[in-house]
Amino acid sequence: MRTLILFLFSLIHFAASAQPKSDSNDSSYPIEKTDQEWQELLSPEQLYILRQQGTEQAFTGAYWNNKKKGIYYSAATGQALFSSEHKYKSGTGWPSFYKPITEDAVIEISDRSHGMVRTEIVDSGSGSHLGHVFPDGPAPTGLRYCMNSASLIFVAEGEELPDLVKEWQATQEK
């Protein structure tokens, strides 16, 4: 009897874990593009990560060990997401931040893919996948926003903003 109960409990837990993650396309975002438009804008790696919820390998991204001061923007929209002031060395191999640049820069979505329960982070401009947030970060928030480098554009202090960022800023002024 005990074995049957454990089996049923395991089965229920597995079934709940196997549910697909919430679809970030359930919401409306300021920037919406067709699949073709995303393919024209993004590199194959960016497309895989931002639009198909992929993940780059640890210690391979351009920004995991970046120590320059500046702002990290969404590679999908040009929206400001994170500041180097909030970046820290997590030892995970991905750029990690303890908070976004503003509270409304990112959106949290429940992710039950791959037999895990996690919190996915998407940019609030297009719903594009950036990474995940975990409750094992430093003070003052205790959070670790673990992002994919390919989902970000870094602009160091004093550097010219890329056109994508300028376009995003122009839409926000209206």
Side-chain angles (χ1 to χ4, degrees):
M1 179 68 171
R2 182 175 179 196
T3 304
L4 179 60
I5 291 172
L6 285 173
F7 173 76
L8 289 175
F9 178 76
S10 297
L11 186 62
I12 291 169
H13 177 70
F14 177 78
S17 298
Q19 295 293 322
K21 70 172 197 64
S22 298
D23 185 357
S24 61
N25 294 326
D26 289 346
S27 299
S28 177
Y29 295 98
I31 295 179
E32 294 185 356
K33 298 182 182 294
T34 65
D35 289 343
Q36 181 65 36
E37 289 170 320
W38 286 120
Q39 288 174 3
E40 291 170 9
L41 175 67
L42 303 171
S43 72
E45 181 184 30
Q46 289 173 320
L47 187 68
Y48 168 68
I49 291 169
L50 287 159
R51 303 307 302 169
Q52 299 168 357
Q53 291 76 29
T55 301
E56 64 197 9
Q57 289 185 333
F59 303 102
T60 64
Y63 306 130
W64 75 269
N65 200 27
N66 183 23
K67 295 178 176 92
K68 295 178 183 175
K69 292 184 185 241
I71 304 296
Y72 294 83
Y73 298 88
S74 169
T77 65
Q79 171 187 9
L81 300 173
F82 298 95
S83 169
S84 62
E85 292 178 36
H86 308 131
K87 188 174 187 287
Y88 71 99
K89 186 174 182 178
S90 67
T92 62
W94 289 278
S96 298
F97 307 85
Y98 62 83
K99 72 177 192 176
I101 199 161
T102 62
E103 286 185 29
D104 61 349
V106 299
I107 296 172
E108 295 182 1
I109 298 174
S110 177
D111 179 352
R112 295 181 168 272
S113 63
H114 308 293
M116 297 179 271
V117 179
R118 302 177 292 173
T119 302
E120 178 186 11
I121 299 299
V122 301
D123 72 45
S124 62
S126 67
S128 293
H129 175 77
L130 304 169
H132 291 85
V133 63
F134 302 96
D136 60 0
T141 65
L143 298 173
R144 174 174 50 97
Y145 288 84
C146 188
M147 303 294 102
N148 290 285
S149 290
S151 69
L152 304 171
I153 298 170
F154 176 74
V155 180
E157 286 182 357
E159 286 185 356
E160 169 115 16
L161 295 175
D163 288 343
L164 186 64
V165 173
K166 291 177 184 176
E167 291 167 15
W168 172 265
Q169 291 176 344
T171 65
Q172 299 309 298
E173 293 173 1
K174 293 179 182 179

